[in-house]
Amino acid sequence: MEFKEARTNFDLGKLGKYFSALSNEANLKGKPSAWLVFGVDDNRNVVATRYRDRGRELQSLKKKIADKVMPRQTFLDIHTVNHPKGRVLLFEISPAPQGIPVAWAGQFYGRDHEYLVALSLEELERIRNQNRTADWSAGICHDATLADLDAGAIALAREEYAKKHRKLAGQMDSWNNETFLNKAKVTIKGRITRTAILLLGKSESSHFLNPATATITWILKDRDGVEKDYEHFSCPLLVNADQVYKKIRNLKYRYMAEGSLFPEEVDQYDPFVIREPLNNAIAHQDYELGGKVSVIEFEDGRLCFSNSGSFIPGSVEEVIRSDAPENRYRNRFLAEAMVNLNMIDTIGSGIRKMFVTQKNRFFPLPEYQLDRGMVQVTITGRVLNVSYARKLAELPDLSLDDIILLDRVQKKKPLTSEQVRYLKQQGLVEGRKPNLHISVRVARQSGDKAEYIRNRGFDDQHYKGMVCEFIGRFGEARRADIDRLLLDKLPDVLDERQKASKVRNLLQALKNQGDIVVEGKVWRMSKQ
């Protein structure tokens, strides 16, 4: 939904952009329709609109929209509501058709929180791929034979299949390789698939996949982001995914446990939070884009996994909330083979388990970045604030969704207005967007009372009193004097520019109140 005052008029071009954005967003979020509301302000107050208040003018709008929208469509309906406070218009917009994003004047639009923006490449691709039925991973490599597969990889595949299907382990000795690969759903009736080459192929067999790339690149970077080492891994990925795992330096991390003089020692990364995003990147990579899977290891305790292609579920939060298998896969045949070979599962709990694992270790939660046609997940292998993290996890009424949002506050990541409103209703944060900080309730629980005061600061009257006391005692003050007096005492959530603006506003308020006057570049107490 988008609310606009539109008291008398509204630009047609902007209306068309909102039509495109809301139609595309309704598609991406699986909604039956989207709504553009005129005569209501951002605070949901009815202010009334006289936009096209003649019936014929309003209905003619449908054609003007349809003339510049591709594919050609217009409002499902335009509803006029005679509210006690005045006239309100509700424009009902259908979602973009499956596989076809909606453009206005040749441009695709979407929304980023409350802002109207160009539809991202990831979102554009996600809509366009909705009608894609062909499974690249099930394609047959017609000239390939069993001789193009790696014997060691097949042996490892048998071991992992036996672990996954224990009831069939006794029968496997009687299966030749062709039978085994068919039953593991790696090949189709003895024919070599792209999945077979990816997971089990010899390194020299990767040419069967051209122009796709069967490569995982591991890169080590120092704390400044400078590359120190790298290595490329190709087929067979069943074997080489484990080689990438072994390449990552999983150092010991030590921190003081609460109520103990002895440090706890843990691995920086739980094995699951390395293998899950790595194998997910292999399973869900869009190989038709020609990209590769990358694993970047930073010496400051971060791992970054990325692969080409959109994130088909659309929202990480939705995956965690539903905790169920996705009903659509980019590489269904490959995903099923990886399940059979014990690389991934399809019960839909992998991402959620990563979040829970990090939470239980008091480490920052995984961060997903879904743009530029890429899926990127960053895992942090260290505690940012052990007291804060531990006590947050101990708050009895906090759900995983609550902790995810508070983790974003801790990392100073953007939140939507709805998310901020929810956190405030729960009494978990204070302040104004984007300068949010933990509430007094969380601070009291976590022991971060000093941090709470640093972030919250004092009320304006306190700062005004400090300025007046300074000028009263010394007779005058320059702006540099007032900056030295106040800047380090203002809330830590404000950056330097915001602090400077805060001081300027305080001085202006004192001047408007008649308490102080400015003479040249010097502030003095008012003589009244």
Side-chain angles (χ1 to χ4, degrees), residues 479-509:
R479 175 59 190 266
D481 298 325
I482 297 171
D483 284 346
R484 282 193 293 271
L485 174 69
L486 295 182
L487 287 181
D488 64 344
K489 299 173 181 64
L490 291 174
D492 286 352
V493 293
L494 301 180
D495 59 29
E496 294 305 312
R497 181 184 59 80
Q498 291 168 326
K499 287 183 178 182
S501 178
K502 176 77 171 177
V503 172
R504 184 168 59 251
N505 292 339
L506 288 168
L507 292 173
Q508 189 63 42

Side-chain angles (χ1 to χ4, degrees), residues 63-87:
K63 183 179 184 303
K64 291 187 176 182
I65 291 293
D67 286 343
K68 288 191 176 183
V69 166
M70 288 295 294
R72 186 181 173 88
Q73 62 185 69
T74 189
F75 300 109
L76 285 172
D77 205 348
I78 303 175
H79 307 270
T80 301
V81 177
N82 295 314
H83 190 274
K85 293 185 178 179
R87 176 174 176 260

Side-chain angles (χ1 to χ4, degrees), residues 239-288:
V239 175
N240 284 333
D242 193 56
Q243 296 305 308
V244 174
Y245 172 81
K246 292 176 180 176
K247 196 77 179 174
I248 295 169
R249 304 170 310 155
N250 200 356
L251 305 176
K252 293 295 182 183
Y253 181 83
R254 306 178 82 192
Y255 62 90
M256 296 298 293
E258 188 174 24
S260 171
L261 296 177
F262 300 96
E264 285 190 22
E265 186 172 89
V266 297
D267 291 333
Q268 273 191 304
Y269 309 107
D270 184 277
F272 181 82
V273 301
I274 299 177
R275 295 186 185 274
E276 176 70 10
L278 175 59
N279 287 330
N280 276 347
I282 295 170
H284 304 303
Q285 162 102 328
D286 191 338
Y287 291 94
E288 293 182 273

